[in-house]
Amino acid sequence: MDRRWSRTSTTSTTSTTSTPGQPRPPPPPPHPWHASDVKLDPAEEEEEDQGIKAQFPSGATSHFTTDTISRALTGAPWGWLLTLCFLTLASANSEPTEPASGPSLNSFRSERREWALNHLAVHQSTGALYVGAVNRIYKLSANLTLLVSHDTGPEYDNKACYPPLIVQPCAEPLASTDNVNKLLLVDYAHERLLACGSLYQGVCKLMRLDDLFILVEPTHKKEHYLSSDNRTGTMYGVVVPSSSSQQDATLYVGTAVGGKQDYFPTVSSRKLPRDPESSDMLDYELHTDFVSSLIKIPSDTLALVPRFDIYYVYGFASGPFVFFLSVQPETPPESGMPAGGGGGGGGGGGGGGGPGGDLFYTTRIVRLCKGDRKFHSYVSLPLGCVRRGEEYRLLQAAHLSRAGRSLARALNVSAQEDVLFAVFSKGQKQYHEPPDHSALCVFTIREINAHIKERLQDEQMMHPVPIDDHFCGLDINQPLGGSQLVSSQALYTETRDRLTSVTSYVYNGHSVVFLGTRSGRLKK
C-alpha cells in the first residue's frame, strides 16, 4: 500500500470550459445509461479517457486533478469520488513517481513509507478529511494540509494477550507493534469520529472531530475488543442513527476473526450512546445466556476448513435493513451445515476447500433488519455476475448509489431507489492474489430483497407464516444461508489492470461511474 496522496491541476480532454479558478462541472454522459456508458469498447475507452489516464502512468498513482478534488470536497456526491481516489492510491503496489513535467502538486504523506494510508472519511458538511493510517489518525483540510495528527502506535503488544496488557499484565513476550487502522467512521448524530485499530485485540476510540481529542477509549470489557486481525480490507462498519437525536445510535460491525472465533463475533451490533462516558459504550445491543446481538463462526467450520474466515469488504444501510458484502471460503458439502450460513451456518454449499486443498471463495451479501437485536433476521446469499458465460465471484469493492432516471429506466426501478455497483475479479480462487480479469456489475436493492424474500418463503414452508417485504424473522429462526446465486450481468470488463474500487453519482439523470485500478488509473 502507498503512503502518499497528492493532487495536481490538469485539464481533461473531456472537460467543458469554465472560468479560470472555478471548478468545472462534470461532463454529462452523451446518452442514457447502457453498457457503453462505462465503455465496453476498449478503443473508445482509450480515446475518451486519455485526459485522465495521462495523469496516471503505470505506477504513478497519487496525482488527481484539481477540479476532481475540488468537487469532491465541495459537493456531497463528489465526496465519494475523493474516497475512490484514496482507495485507488492505497491499492497500488508500487511507489508513485513524479510526472516528468507539469503543474505543481499538493501532497500528503505519512511519516514513514511503511505506514500505509488505510481509510478515508470525508465529512459530508465540512469537507474535512479524516485519514486512518498505520499508527496515525490524520485530519486534513481541503487542499491536503495537515491540521491535526493523532498517534495510535506503535506500542508494545502481543496478539496472544487476552485480555490485552492495558487491562491486566501479560506473560507473553512483548514487541513493538504497529497499530493498523481497521475502521474509521463519522458518527454524524453525535459529531464524533470512531477509529478502531488492530492493537490490544482491536480496541476503538471516540474522538472529537475538530481536534481529534480522545473522548473515550473503552477497554475493560470483552465487548470492547473487535478483532486482533491486522489485515486491511477485512472489517467494515455501519453507523445507524436512532430516530431521535436524544437516543443511542447503533454500530453494526462485520470483521474477520483471524482464527479466534471464541473471542470475536464475525457480525455484531453495538451501542453508541450519546454520552461518551456511558458504561454501555460499544456493548452488544443484547447479550444474555441464550440470545445476543452477534453471530460467531462455528468451531466445527474451522475444524473442517482451518483457514476459514469471513472478510468484510463493504456495508451500508438501505431502507429498514443493514447489509454487508463479504468474501469467504466455501465449506465442503460433508460439513452438514446449511448452505451458505457463513456465521452460525458455515460458508457456501459445496465447491471444495478441505484442510489440505485449494480453497474456493464466494462473495455473499448479508442482510439484517435494523432494530433486530436477536439477529433472527440474518440472511446470507451468494452474489456475483456473469458475462459471456464467465463468472465473476471475488468482490473487490462496492458502492451504494441512487439509480438516476436513465439507469432506473434500464433497470425498471424508480430513480430514487438504491442500486449497488460492485467490482469483482474472475473466478472463485486466489482471493488474496486475485486475477486482473475483473468486471463492473450493478444490482438493484429491490432485486436483492426479492431474492432474500424468496429464500425466507422457502424456509418458512414448514412453519407457514406470511412473509412480506419487511419480514424480520421469528423467535424460532436461526441464521439463514442459501446457495442460489443473486446474479447480474457484467457491464464492463477489464483484463489487464484489475479493478479495485468504484464510486458513482447521478448527473442530470445519468449515472456516472468511476473505477480505480490496481496500477492507480482512474476510469470513467
Side-chain angles (χ1 to χ4, degrees), residues 26 68 70-84 122-124 399-402 503-507 512 514:
T68 297
S70 175
R71 288 191 293 265
L73 296 173
T74 58
W78 286 93
W80 287 107
L81 176 56
L82 185 60
T83 304
L84 170 69
V122 182
H123 197 284
Q124 295 174 354
H399 175 63
L400 187 74
S401 177
R402 297 294 188 188
T503 193
S504 68
Y505 78 110
V506 176
Y507 179 80
V512 182
F514 291 85

Side-chain angles (χ1 to χ4, degrees), residues 454-507:
E454 181 180 353
R455 179 68 184 94
L456 287 168
Q457 290 172 333
D458 290 343
E459 184 69 14
Q460 296 298 333
M461 290 181 64
M462 301 298 295
H463 306 280
V465 293
I467 306 294
D468 60 19
D469 292 339
H470 304 287
F471 181 74
C472 287
L474 303 171
D475 285 344
I476 60 173
N477 291 135
Q478 297 294 319
L480 180 63
S483 57
Q484 187 66 39
L485 180 70
V486 180
S487 181
S488 173
Q489 289 293 319
L491 301 174
Y492 167 73
T493 58
E494 168 63 54
T495 60
R496 295 170 295 177
D497 193 8
R498 176 165 47 92
L499 303 175
T500 59
S501 52
V502 60
T503 193
S504 68
Y505 78 110
V506 176
Y507 179 80

Side-chain angles (χ1 to χ4, degrees), residues 44-240:
E44 178 189 358
E45 172 195 324
E46 186 68 30
E47 178 182 351
E48 294 196 17
D49 277 354
Q50 60 182 346
I52 295 177
K53 289 185 179 180
Q55 296 300 318
F56 292 83
S58 178
T61 62
S62 57
H63 311 303
F64 310 116
T65 69
T66 300
D67 293 333
T68 297
I69 295 293
S70 175
R71 288 191 293 265
L73 296 173
T74 58
W78 286 93
W80 287 107
L81 176 56
L82 185 60
T83 304
L84 170 69
C85 292
F86 179 87
L87 294 178
T88 301
L89 163 68
S91 67
N93 293 330
S94 56
E95 176 70 13
T97 59
E98 299 294 342
S101 63
S104 60
L105 295 171
N106 290 333
S107 64
F108 172 76
R109 305 168 184 249
S110 55
E111 289 96 312
R112 297 185 181 180
R113 178 177 179 177
E114 64 271 21
W115 289 1
L117 308 176
N118 301 124
H119 294 100
L120 172 73
V122 182
H123 197 284
Q124 295 174 354
S125 300
T126 67
L129 315 180
Y130 299 92
V131 181
V134 175
N135 297 325
R136 296 290 187 270
I137 303 294
Y138 301 108
K139 179 181 179 181
L140 308 179
S141 69
N143 64 0
L144 308 187
T145 299
L146 176 63
L147 301 177
V148 186
S149 176
H150 175 79
D151 294 2
T152 61
E155 299 285 353
Y156 283 96
D157 193 18
N158 187 312
K159 293 173 71 172
C161 294
Y162 190 95
L165 59 90
I166 54 176
V167 176
Q168 69 180 36
C170 179
E172 301 292 338
L174 304 179
S176 180
T177 306
D178 286 337
N179 194 358
V180 179
N181 177 254
K182 301 296 298 297
L183 200 62
L184 191 72
L185 299 170
V186 177
D187 179 4
Y188 288 98
H190 305 129
E191 282 297 298
R192 57 197 182 188
L193 187 70
L194 176 69
C196 306
S198 59
L199 279 182
Y200 307 134
Q201 305 298 331
V203 298
C204 302
K205 301 178 182 182
L206 279 172
M207 297 183 285
R208 284 197 307 231
L209 290 175
D210 56 348
D211 59 3
L212 301 186
F213 175 81
I214 297 178
L215 298 171
V216 68
E217 186 176 12
T219 60
H220 59 282
K221 293 189 288 189
K222 64 180 181 180
E223 289 91 339
H224 297 153
Y225 316 134
L226 299 189
S227 174
S228 61
D229 192 315
N230 62 3
R231 291 171 293 181
T232 59
T234 61
M235 180 187 293
Y236 212 93
V238 178
V239 175
V240 175

